Amino acid sequence: MNIAFFLLPKHEVAFVTLDATLRQVIERMEHHRYTAIPILDKEGHYAGTVTEGDVLWHMKHSEGRINFENASRFLLKEVPLRMNNRPVSIESDMADLINLSKTQNFVPVVDDRNRFIGIVRRSQIIEYCAGFVTRENGAAQNT
């Protein structure tokens, strides 16, 4: 199966750039009700994934310097990221996608120039795998 079949394209994905402020990140996550979103650099390359926890821990360890009211003064690129959501190439196979989805809520997808082109959600991968289980169980019952 081709990964492109599962791709949620970039224009439908909530993402932030490295030069976003913490307030922009928080507001984007809140608006979309996401706990993690991809980060892109200025050239559109995938640069990582920021989570709510990353932002909250950074604010906590700022010793009171950062709060919601002044979060627009601080940049995302200053936040240490605790997760390493690895991307897959659009040319990768389903095994690569399934392997990454075991530890990631979504898998970022990049093109042959390493530019971010979208994501594949873990729920879609589980549905794909569930189809095999359902067919296998159906075949076993028919024998």
Side-chain angles (χ1 to χ4, degrees), residues 12-100:
E12 294 181 29
V13 176
F15 62 86
V16 291
T17 59
L18 281 170
D19 59 353
T21 68
L22 290 185
R23 184 155 185 155
Q24 290 170 323
V25 173
I26 292 166
E27 289 177 347
R28 172 83 36 107
M29 289 178 151
E30 180 183 31
H31 175 76
H32 293 282
R33 297 178 185 244
Y34 293 149
T35 59
I37 55 176
I39 306 168
L40 306 184
D41 67 14
K42 289 179 183 177
E43 290 79 36
H45 299 113
Y46 173 71
T49 295
V50 62
T51 67
E52 288 176 327
D54 295 333
V55 174
L56 291 172
W57 286 115
H58 184 64
M59 290 173 77
K60 179 182 186 277
H61 293 290
S62 76
E63 299 174 355
R65 283 185 318 113
I66 306 171
N67 56 48
F68 185 72
E69 286 75 31
N70 71 4
S72 60
R73 295 188 210 147
F74 299 90
L75 299 178
L76 171 60
K77 60 185 163 192
E78 300 166 355
V79 176
L81 305 177
R82 66 179 174 86
M83 292 179 59
N84 181 20
N85 270 20
R86 293 191 334 235
V88 295
S89 164
I90 191 67
E91 304 297 327
S92 296
D93 61 24
M94 284 303 294
D96 293 334
L97 193 61
I98 291 168
N99 265 340
L100 288 176

Side-chain angles (χ1 to χ4, degrees), residues 72-138:
S72 60
R73 295 188 210 147
F74 299 90
L75 299 178
L76 171 60
K77 60 185 163 192
E78 300 166 355
V79 176
L81 305 177
R82 66 179 174 86
M83 292 179 59
N84 181 20
N85 270 20
R86 293 191 334 235
V88 295
S89 164
I90 191 67
E91 304 297 327
S92 296
D93 61 24
M94 284 303 294
D96 293 334
L97 193 61
I98 291 168
N99 265 340
L100 288 176
S101 72
K102 291 188 285 188
T103 58
Q104 301 177 187
N105 288 333
F106 62 87
V107 179
V109 182
V110 296
D111 65 13
D112 59 347
R113 296 187 333 202
N114 205 32
R115 290 216 169 107
F116 178 79
I117 58 173
I119 65 170
V120 176
R121 294 178 178 143
R122 181 168 40 197
S123 60
Q124 294 172 296
I125 299 165
I126 291 171
E127 286 177 24
Y128 171 78
C129 293
F132 284 106
V133 172
T134 301
R135 284 190 293 272
E136 193 174 284
N137 286 344

